Each structure stands twice: as C-alpha cells, then as structure tokens.
Amino acid sequence: MEKGITQLYILIAKVTGLMNLQKNYSLKYLNTFGVDVIAKYFLEIHSEKELDEFIQSDLRKNEQLLIIGGGSNILFTRDYDGVVLKFSKKGISVIEQKEDFVLIESSAGELWDDLVKYTVRNKLYGIENLSLIPGSVGAAPIQNIGAYGTELKDVLHSVEYYDLDDGSLKNLSNAQCNFGYRNSIFKNELKNKFIITKVILKLSLVKKFNLSYKSLSDELKNTPEHELTIETVSEAVRNIRRSKLPDPDLLGNAGSFFKNPEMDNETFQLFINKFPDAIYFEQSDNTYKISAGWLIEKCGYKGKRIGNVGAYEKQALIITNYGGATGNEILEYAEKIISDVKNNFGIELNSEVNIIQ
Ligand code: FAD
Ligand code: EPU
C-alpha cells in the first residue's frame, strides 16, 4: 500500500475515533500457535459505536477483513494483507430469571473461561464441562465448542451479530444457528459476513450434571453423588485438561487440529471389522465418530517431531509448535498426517483449525 494512502487511513482513523488502529502489527501473541506473522492493520474495538465507525470507514471498503478473538483456533500461513479486527467489549449480566433457569448475556470480548468461572461462582448449571477452553465468548458459537459430553448448542439461547453486509445488528435463535459437531451457520451461509457481538445462554438453577464422558466419570468416581458440586465438576474437567492438553503459553498449539471423522452405521461396520482396536464414540443418531487421535497415533505420529513441529506426546490430535515454526511448516506436517491416515485407513481427516491462506 502506498505511503500516502496509509497515512490518510491513519488520519481518518484519528478523526473518526478509530484510535487503536495499528499498522504492520505482529500477530505472534494473538495466535496460540505463536506463529509470527504481520497484519497490515490491526484494530481493537471496544464498543458497537466504534464498530459502526469502522464499518463506515474507507478502511472497511478497501481492505479485506479478518475477525480474531483469542487466536486459539487459527493457523496463519502468511502475513495478513488487510485488517485484523478484535472485538473486545466485555460484560456479563443476567437478563432474565425464572424459578428454574436464567438467561445470561455475555459480550463477545469476554474470555470463555471467565464466563464459565462466573457461572460456577453463581451456581448456574450447564457449561461447567466446558471449563478451561481457551478463547473468546464471541468465537464459541462458530464451531459450537464442545468437551466432555457437552456442546455449546445444549445451552445456547441466541446469538447477536453485526451483519457486515448491511451494518445492522441481528439475532439468531439456537435453531437458526444450524449447530452440528464443530459446525454452525457461521462456518457456512454466514461465513465472512458477521461479527458476533453477544451470546445469550440459558442455564439451569437446578443442580444437574452431565457425567456421560468416560474420562470425566472416571475422574469423579471417588466422589459420592451428594458431594458433587458445580465446583468439583468444573475442577475435575480442569484437572483432566491440564493432564493431557499442552498449555499454549508454554507450547504453541490450537487444540485438536482435526475433527473426529464421522461415519454412518454401514461404513462403520466395515471399518470396525477391519480395525477392531479402533477407538470410537457411538452417537445418539446411530452414527459413529472415530477417534482421530487414535488414527494419527497408529500412523506413528504421537510425539514425533519434524523440525519445529510435532504431534503432542500425550494427545496425537494436537499439533504443536516447538518454537519458531512457520504456519506453512505446521500445515505441511498436518498434510503428511492427512495423507498417512488416508493411505492406512481410507479416511479423510478434515481440519478443525481455521487455516488462513
Ligand atoms: P479465534 O481462534 O480467534 O477465531 C476462531 C474463528 O472464529 C476464526 O474464523 C475467527 O475469524 C472467528 N471469530 C472469532 N471471534 C469472532 C467474532 N466475535 N465474530 C466473528 N468471527 C469471530 N475447542 C473446543 O471446541 N473444545 C475444546 O475442548 C477445545 N480445547 C482447546 C484446547 C486448547 C489448548 C486450545 C489451544 C484450543 C482448544 N479449542 C477447543 C479450540 C478453541 O479454544 C475454540 O475454537 C475457541 O472457541 C476459539 O476461540 P478464539 O476466540 O480463540 O477464536
Ligand atoms: N486417543 C488415542 N490416542 C491419542 C489421543 C486419543 O488413542 O493420541 C483415544 C483415547 O482412547 C482417548 C480417546 O481417543 O481416550 C478420546 O480422547 P480425548 O478424550 O482426548 O478426546 P478427543 O476425541 O481426542 C475431543 C475434542 C476435544 C475435547 C475432548 C474432550 C474434537 C476434535 N476434539 O478430543 O476438543 O476437549 O474431545 O471432550 O472433537 C478441540 O476441539 O480443540 C478439543 C481439544
């Protein structure tokens, strides 16, 4: 971009109030892989008013746009030639309370785990199994975050988003979000057309837990039922996660790199006859998920390092940056995994991480 135009943008930014606009901004600390790339512009926004100003600016008209939250599900493969925007508005409040449930509203800029801690403190049941998932509240609906038998869709009431096409704020109900396993309308019809500004959850005031996930029930097997509290369940999830997931502050990663592949009953029967040791999860609709971690481990990747990249020694589904890896090195490692899993098992792995190419 020519120097004159850049300076004009900065001037307009100052006049319109987009004071936080930064040029040639390193995203190294804004993505949990720790990949060192540069955004042509970086803008942190704290209110809907600032968002309006940005939408009406020339910067919006002339540059491509990427929204970022905590960067814990993104892989940058090169510098970003456009505006990277972080919507950081915070705030959590109860907007409706009935006898047995509350509706709780959170601004998109809250950390997801801060919202979980708030609900644990206030004994609002429903997201304790989603403790310690990194990232922002705003990103949570996009892939319908899930862990230990619970998905966001189980508690989500509605989502408010800014429509980038017409500049209006819109609401989607749970049903309108078309949630699926690591999937939603935001990854399909609405892709690149929205900024999530608020998430509204319906949480229970009645004590109830979902301990259907084996590692969670194992972790709590010595806790008598009458001693189970929202704190003990949340703490159990935190303990499991700390014991097998790498801390991105110490070892760059974005959680599971791939989704667990799904199969209909017929395909599954053929598969399991051929690979009877495979780890799988039966779904309520008579379909199956195969453990991608198992497939990758069986291809010899668990703990295997190539240059600065590896599959985590305790969980092969997590690709890690040992330091200094580029996004393309991480992608090449992922592509090797895809090819080996395909050759050995005839299964095509799909990435869960959003790859920015
Ligand atoms: P980002 O990585 O910043 O963005 C993800 C996507 O959302 C991008 O496409 C981005 O453009 C878009 N986006 C972000 N915010 C907004 C917004 N406000 N409006 C519009 N678009 C937006 N995920 C799980 O589901 N379950 C897990 O158990 C889990 N465990 C993890 C463990 C580790 C150690 C790590 C590093 C990640 C894990 N994840 C897990 C993945 C990740 O935490 C989630 O996907 C999380 O929701 C990403 O949030 P984020 O704010 O970091 O999103
Ligand atoms: N397994 C292996 N080898 C491995 C890893 C796993 O054999 O290297 C087998 C083990 O038998 C293990 C089983 O797979 O018991 C399940 O492993 P885990 O409980 O870690 O779950 P996962 O299916 O690998 C999924 C999510 C995680 C989520 C956990 C817990 C996906 C893609 N990943 O992982 O989400 O935290 O379940 O519910 O669905 C994420 O999305 O980033 C993420 C971390």
Side-chain angles (χ1 to χ4, degrees):
M1 166 72 55
E2 302 69 21
K3 210 169 154 211
I5 298 180
T6 301
Q7 273 160 358
L8 184 63
Y9 279 163
I10 306 267
L11 182 66
I12 292 167
K14 284 186 177 151
V15 173
T16 58
L18 300 179
M19 295 298 280
N20 294 322
L21 186 69
Q22 314 249 18
K23 177 98 207 294
N24 292 332
Y25 193 82
S26 168
L27 300 175
K28 185 169 180 184
Y29 300 104
L30 284 175
N31 73 98
T32 60
F33 264 123
V35 169
D36 198 1
V37 288
I38 304 288
K40 187 168 162 192
Y41 296 100
F42 174 68
L43 182 61
E44 186 164 7
I45 273 180
H46 297 90
S47 69
E48 282 84 0
K49 182 172 165 283
E50 283 180 325
L51 203 49
D52 274 333
E53 286 168 359
F54 167 70
I55 298 296
Q56 284 157 27
S57 72
D58 284 351
L59 201 58
R60 164 67 187 136
K61 285 185 201 114
N62 298 334
E63 303 286 339
Q64 58 173 334
L65 174 66
L66 175 73
I67 315 301
I68 199 165
S72 63
N73 209 21
I74 279 192
L75 177 63
F76 288 100
T77 58
R78 57 179 152 119
D79 290 345
Y80 190 75
D81 185 21
V83 181
V84 172
L85 185 146
K86 187 170 159 80
F87 182 73
S88 292
K89 187 178 175 192
K90 292 194 188 271
I92 301 175
S93 56
V94 171
I95 54 170
E96 190 180 330
Q97 177 150 3
K98 290 276 188 301
E99 203 178 316
D100 55 351
F101 73 86
V102 293
L103 291 186
I104 177 175
E105 176 183 281
S106 172
S107 280
E110 286 286 346
L111 285 179
W112 172 260
D113 198 41
D114 284 350
L115 176 60
V116 173
K117 286 177 186 155
Y118 173 97
T119 66
V120 168
R121 269 197 312 278
N122 291 286
K123 304 217 179 319
L124 308 176
Y125 299 85
I127 54 173
E128 55 282 354
N129 289 20
L130 304 180
S131 295
L132 210 57
I133 296 182
S136 61
V137 166
I142 295 168
Q143 72 158 5
N144 177 26
I145 56 167
Y148 306 98
T150 296
E151 287 183 324
L152 183 71
K153 73 170 170 49
D154 302 332
V155 292
L156 185 127
H157 175 272
S158 53
V159 175
E160 181 191 91
Y161 70 97
Y162 200 97
D163 184 324
L164 285 167
D165 283 345
D166 66 12
S168 68
L169 279 175
K170 295 201 166 110
N171 281 285
L172 287 182
S173 68
N174 184 316
Q176 289 171 319
C177 290
N178 292 344
F179 286 124
Y181 166 58
R182 298 296 190 268
N183 205 2
S184 73
I185 193 170
F186 301 108
K187 296 190 105 177
N188 297 290
E189 294 94 310
L190 289 184
K191 196 172 166 63
N192 297 330
K193 293 183 174 166
F194 66 93
I195 300 175
I196 292 184
T197 47
K198 270 182 201 163
V199 170
I200 296 162
L201 305 182
K202 182 177 176 181
L203 299 176
S204 176
L205 289 165
V206 181
K207 179 173 159 178
K208 56 176 176 190
F209 300 113
N210 173 2
L211 306 183
S212 57
Y213 202 85
K214 186 166 181 314
S215 52
L216 182 55
S217 54
D218 284 353
E219 180 77 16
L220 288 163
K221 69 176 181 296
N222 296 324
T223 311
E225 208 180 321
H226 67 274
E227 280 180 23
L228 275 182
T229 63
I230 193 166
E231 288 88 355
T232 52
V233 174
S234 171
E235 211 38 55
V237 170
R238 287 170 197 280
N239 287 339
I240 301 170
R241 296 184 69 96
R242 287 192 196 103
S243 72
K244 69 169 159 197
L245 300 176
D247 177 349
D249 287 342
L250 306 175
L251 190 60
N253 76 90
S256 303
F257 197 92
F258 303 101
K259 296 182 207 167
N260 287 326
E262 297 172 283
M263 279 182 190
D264 61 32
N265 189 12
E266 202 181 322
T267 317
F268 173 74
Q269 297 308 334
L270 295 171
F271 171 79
I272 204 69
N273 279 339
K274 213 164 160 196
F275 304 105
D277 299 340
I279 307 287
Y280 62 88
F281 315 96
E282 190 172 355
Q283 309 300 294
S284 53
D285 59 358
N286 204 24
T287 62
Y288 293 81
K289 271 187 209 155
I290 311 300
S291 158
W294 183 87
L295 296 168
I296 298 166
E297 181 178 347
K298 290 296 155 193
C299 291
Y301 281 94
K302 200 171 190 173
K304 177 174 164 180
R305 182 169 172 170
I306 303 178
N308 292 322
V309 186
Y312 191 50
E313 66 209 12
K314 298 182 197 167
Q315 227 297 3
L317 187 47
I318 297 178
I319 299 184
T320 60
N321 174 4
Y322 286 97
T326 64
N328 278 319
E329 284 167 341
I330 294 169
L331 195 56
E332 275 166 29
Y333 190 100
E335 280 163 358
K336 278 193 176 59
I337 290 179
I338 293 175
S339 159
D340 282 0
V341 168
K342 175 91 183 159
N343 290 337
N344 287 306
F345 297 103
I347 291 177
E348 187 94 36
L349 289 180
N350 291 310
S351 87
E352 179 198 290
V353 170
N354 298 279
I355 298 166
I356 312 295
Q357 280 176 307

